[in-house]
Amino acid sequence: MKTDTPTAMLDAQDNASSNAGMWRLLIALGLLAFLIGLPLLSKNFFVFQLTLAMVYAIAILGLNLLTGFNGQFSLGHGAFYAIGAYTAAILMDQGGISYIWTIPAAGMICFVAGFLFGLPALRLEGTYLALATFALAVAMPQILKFSPLEHWTGGVQGIVILKPDAPFGLPISQDQWLYYFTLVTLILMFAFAYNLVGSRTGRAMKAIRDNPTAAKAMGINLSLFKSLTFGVSALYVGVAGALSAIVVQFVAPDSFTFALSVILFVGLVVGGVGWIPGAFFGALFILFVPHFAEGISKGLAGAVYGIMLILLIFIMPSGAAGLLKLLLDRFAIVRRLIEGLSGRKR
Amino acid sequence: MDLFIHQVLAGLATGAIYACMALAVVMIYQAIDHFNFAQGEMAMFSTFIAWQLMQWGFPYWAAFFVTIGISFAAGVLIERAIFRPIHDAPILSHVVIFIALFVIINSFAGFIWEFTIKAFPSPFGTKPVLGEGLLSAHDAGMMAVVGIVLLLLYGFFRYTRIGLAMRAAAANPDSAKLVGVRVGWMLALGWGMAAAIGAVAGMMIAPVVFLEPNMMLSILLYGFAGAVVGGLTSPVGAVLGGFSVGVVENLAGTFIPYFGSEMKLSIALALIVAVLMVRPSGIFGRKVVTRV
């Protein structure tokens, strides 16, 4: 049979791409089944850790939208995480509002806060923006401790909130319920991110990242889109913050220091900048590697962690995304070789 | 009025600390075009080395200069060992390395010297020079040291061949390479100098804030604020910026109720954002023009 006529080749390509789509769907479904089944088979503490990992994944995704798709740096997203967490805690503690509604509220407040902070900040480029956001993150704990606000924020003490029970009398523990709640939020947020990046707005974001001058010439309103992206990114991080407040049951100024912003940033780079699923790898890294480092040496945990970080950057300068791409490329080369060989035999 | 003058002088005294740090920040920025977030920790570690030398019986000035030498070598070594291999990696990876250096240095300092607070001697004594509690001999000495470092730097960059080569390497690496400047080594030299200046800053700051692994955390932010206010391209601007941040901080603390005393860091933040909005290149900085 002759297969190299143009139409046949197109068919083959079509087949291949639909095959790839099919594979992707299968992988996604398998992953989903795995994620749903996991908490039923593991201990409560592990379920709690996984929930936290998903919370981090949402936050890193938000940071990725800003850095990976719009080319702006932020070392201060811990501040928006704090705003989200405090919004949820104050609404639940003082407003008596159900935890479910605190999440969109935190998202909206952070969107506005991010948009407003982004408005002046978009005049800044690269390093300068990183610096302004760095200052924001460092100043955040002080603002939260500010005594005239103490009535709402609880000052240094912070706020303790109660863990919600599973609704409808479901026979699962609180931790398991929060796991599923976070999982649903996570899926919604990721779906939104995929659609956003693929949309007209997403293309505008990427155009600004790749060449601001050309983007401007094409009629893209730079300042509007940059602030909007900053707002959306803050929204994601705020939602993650609100979830973390509910999951951890506690907010206090000193949980939101500059270190938190740094942790999110490390997660972003480790996962891979500009690659949406990278958020998962980043989240797992920032959650489990510090424990691992502490296991190696208690006194030098920081040093072990830092050295691992340096090695990681040396081995895969562009994060998990780069490594995966490299592996796939190798795989493709091998496959092509095999195909070539078998083709010759035929 | 008396209170005002008093506070301005006190502000200049704290400003001298920030000026030291801002100078170190600008130096490294000139050499490598990035902010070094580990700068404060490097300075802290150098100060610990000086402390250790004095514990071993070195006289102050001997320890001072030996520490500067060690810091210079360490700075060069860090560039050669860690940053040279990833020279072409994206900026974000560089920032992660800075963060990694930060935790490594902090962790090692805590491991070797523990987290207890240590007193660090001042070579100038602590007698007041300008009335009771206004400006101590150490504050005055610190300002003098900042001035001397600034003059030395000016002379170095303006009148020596190697200073010129360093400026060329930072301004335009490709052309500098073509005329025979060894760009890689200039970078390493910049790192070494920044580490040495950081060491001077650390040793000047330590008698005021006491020596411990986390001593530089907030000072670094004020140093950044000073550098941004003055302009990242200008060492003189950085020093003046550092002083003005100190004065503003002190005046706000005295004259704005509530806010000033509790929100000192937020004032630094507000200052950074305000200056960046009005004059992104800082008050004394050159505007960087890039070709599209």
Side-chain angles (χ1 to χ4, degrees), chain A residues 67 73 75 120 123-124 127-128 131-132 134-136 138-139 142-143 145-148 213 262 265-266 269 273 299-303 305-307 309-310 313-314 317, chain B residues 29 35 37 81-82 85-86 89-90 92-93 95-97 99-100 103-104 107-108 111 221 224 228 232 258-259 262-266 269 272-273 276-278 280 292:
Chain A
T67 308
F73 303 121
L75 284 171
R123 288 179 48 126
L124 315 176
T127 334
Y128 289 97
L131 197 74
F134 166 77
L136 178 69
V138 175
Q142 252 188 359
I143 296 171
K145 285 178 199 166
F146 192 37
S147 58
T213 318
V262 169
F265 181 80
V266 167
V269 177
V273 180
L300 281 174
Y305 180 64
I307 290 167
L309 214 49
I310 291 183
I313 295 291
F314 269 57
Chain B
Y29 189 79
F35 280 107
F37 287 96
I82 298 176
I86 58 153
L92 292 176
S93 305
V95 179
V96 167
I97 299 269
I99 292 166
V103 284
I104 291 174
S107 169
F108 266 111
F111 186 72
L221 176 64
F224 279 150
V228 171
L232 284 168
Y258 275 134
F259 226 76
E262 280 179 49
M263 304 270 274
K264 282 193 164 182
L265 280 173
S266 315
L269 159 74
I272 289 182
V273 175
L276 285 179
M277 275 175 70
V278 182
V292 188

Side-chain angles (χ1 to χ4, degrees), chain A residues 5-334:
Chain A
T5 58
T7 39
M9 264 169 71
L10 269 181
D11 272 358
Q13 243 172 26
D14 242 25
N15 265 336
S17 72
S18 74
N19 257 341
M22 190 95 134
W23 272 113
R24 220 172 271 172
L25 194 69
L26 273 179
I27 290 173
L29 283 179
L31 200 66
L32 192 65
F34 175 71
L35 283 174
I36 290 175
L38 200 56
L40 300 174
L41 304 169
S42 37
K43 290 197 187 94
N44 263 345
F45 182 65
F46 186 62
V47 174
F48 168 77
Q49 279 188 317
L50 285 178
T51 313
L52 219 50
M54 292 194 292
V55 170
Y56 279 142
I58 296 176
I60 293 172
L61 175 62
L63 202 53
N64 206 349
L65 285 178
L66 182 74
T67 308
F69 295 96
N70 199 218
Q72 305 187 69
F73 303 121
S74 169
L75 284 171
H77 266 46
F80 297 112
Y81 197 85
I83 294 175
Y86 265 87
T87 308
I90 291 172
L91 283 179
M92 283 171 74
D93 185 53
Q94 313 220 338
I97 291 168
S98 159
Y99 62 97
I100 297 177
W101 296 110
T102 63
I103 306 241
M108 281 327 292
I109 287 180
C110 284
F111 176 76
V112 174
F115 186 80
L116 291 181
F117 190 81
L119 218 47
L122 61 89
R123 288 179 48 126
L124 315 176
E125 278 167 26
T127 334
Y128 289 97
L129 183 62
L131 197 74
T133 51
F134 166 77
L136 178 69
V138 175
M140 201 62 202
Q142 252 188 359
I143 296 171
L144 294 174
K145 285 178 199 166
F146 192 37
S147 58
L149 297 177
E150 208 162 308
H151 176 64
W152 292 285
T153 58
V156 187
Q157 308 285 322
I159 306 170
V160 178
I161 47 183
L162 294 174
K163 222 174 231 187
D165 280 319
F168 321 123
L170 286 175
I172 51 177
S173 73
Q174 288 171 327
D175 283 325
Q176 284 169 334
W177 164 243
L178 278 178
Y179 174 91
Y180 289 122
F181 182 66
T182 312
L183 182 63
V184 170
T185 317
L186 176 93
I187 292 172
L188 287 177
M189 297 303 266
F190 268 76
F192 179 65
Y194 265 115
N195 284 328
L196 179 71
V197 167
S199 73
R200 194 181 156 86
T201 313
R203 285 197 300 277
M205 281 160 58
K206 282 182 271 186
I208 292 173
R209 172 195 67 189
D210 294 336
N211 192 335
T213 318
K216 203 171 182 177
M218 299 294 284
I220 295 171
N221 185 342
L222 287 197
S223 49
L224 180 69
F225 275 100
K226 274 174 133 182
S227 326
L228 272 180
T229 314
F230 210 96
V232 169
S233 151
L235 181 149
Y236 270 80
V237 179
V239 165
L243 281 170
S244 89
I246 297 167
V247 171
V248 182
Q249 296 178 267
F250 178 59
V251 291
D254 290 325
S255 343
F256 306 109
T257 55
F258 174 57
L260 176 66
S261 303
V262 169
I263 288 171
L264 292 180
F265 181 80
V266 167
L268 168 69
V269 177
V270 168
V273 180
W275 185 54
I276 289 180
F280 289 109
F281 294 94
L284 292 175
F285 181 88
I286 60 180
L287 194 67
F288 290 109
V289 171
H291 287 295
F292 178 67
E294 212 155 282
I296 291 180
S297 157
K298 263 241 143 36
L300 281 174
V304 174
Y305 180 64
I307 290 167
M308 284 169 72
L309 214 49
I310 291 183
L311 287 179
L312 203 76
I313 295 291
F314 269 57
I315 298 166
M316 38 192 218
S318 37
L323 191 69
L324 207 65
K325 188 170 174 303
L326 194 76
L327 289 179
L328 284 180
D329 283 354
R330 288 280 155 78
F331 182 68
I333 290 172
V334 172

Side-chain angles (χ1 to χ4, degrees), chain B:
Chain B
M1 197 60 207
D2 241 16
L3 183 67
F4 181 76
I5 295 171
H6 193 122
Q7 288 302 326
V8 169
L9 280 176
L12 285 179
T14 31
I17 299 177
Y18 307 152
C20 284
M21 207 59 222
L23 191 56
V25 166
V26 166
M27 265 313 298
I28 193 89
Y29 189 79
Q30 289 285 308
I32 62 174
D33 219 26
H34 296 317
F35 280 107
N36 181 0
F37 287 96
Q39 182 92 56
E41 301 308 292
M42 282 161 61
M44 177 271 297
F45 203 85
S46 302
T47 316
F48 264 114
I49 291 175
W51 181 83
Q52 188 65 61
L53 288 174
M54 277 182 257
Q55 291 292 303
W56 286 337
F58 277 62
Y60 184 92
W61 290 109
F64 185 86
F65 287 110
V66 170
T67 303
I68 291 178
I70 293 175
S71 306
F72 183 87
V76 172
L77 199 69
I78 287 178
E79 200 280 334
R80 288 280 103 174
I82 298 176
F83 284 94
R84 199 177 151 67
I86 58 153
H87 190 256
D88 298 323
I91 305 176
L92 292 176
S93 305
H94 282 253
V95 179
V96 167
I97 299 269
F98 289 138
I99 292 166
L101 275 179
F102 185 103
V103 284
I104 291 174
I105 297 174
N106 190 292
S107 169
F108 266 111
F111 186 72
I112 301 172
W113 292 293
E114 296 176 350
F115 286 90
T116 50
I117 292 173
K118 295 174 179 61
F120 193 85
S122 162
F124 312 109
T126 47
K127 278 192 236 100
V129 250
L130 260 178
E132 251 339 284
L134 274 186
L135 203 63
S136 72
H138 180 74
D139 295 331
M142 186 152 62
M143 289 179 202
V145 169
V146 173
I148 292 170
V149 171
L150 206 53
L151 272 181
L152 284 176
L153 277 181
Y154 176 77
F156 175 78
F157 280 114
R158 182 74 182 74
Y159 294 112
T160 65
R161 256 186 93 79
I162 201 155
L164 183 66
M166 271 181 76
R167 281 194 289 157
N172 194 338
D174 294 331
S175 309
K177 212 174 265 175
L178 285 177
V179 293
V181 174
R182 295 176 67 180
V183 174
W185 273 104
M186 291 303 131
L187 272 181
L189 204 58
W191 265 88
M193 283 174 62
I197 295 171
V200 174
M203 285 184 283
M204 288 295 119
I205 295 167
V208 187
V209 299
F210 296 108
L211 185 57
E212 55 121 358
N214 295 323
M215 68 187 242
M216 285 296 183
L217 223 51
S218 56
I219 292 177
L220 185 66
L221 176 64
Y222 290 119
F224 279 150
V228 171
V229 169
L232 284 168
T233 43
S234 152
V236 181
V239 169
L240 292 178
F243 277 117
S244 47
V245 169
V247 172
V248 168
E249 183 202 357
N250 248 306
L251 290 181
T254 320
F255 292 107
I256 307 176
Y258 275 134
F259 226 76
S261 47
E262 280 179 49
M263 304 270 274
K264 282 193 164 182
L265 280 173
S266 315
I267 289 172
L269 159 74
L271 211 59
I272 289 182
V273 175
V275 169
L276 285 179
M277 275 175 70
V278 182
R279 243 192 99 88
S281 48
I283 294 169
F284 295 91
R286 263 180 300 107
K287 195 161 169 46
V288 179
V289 181
T290 45
R291 212 177 134 197
V292 188

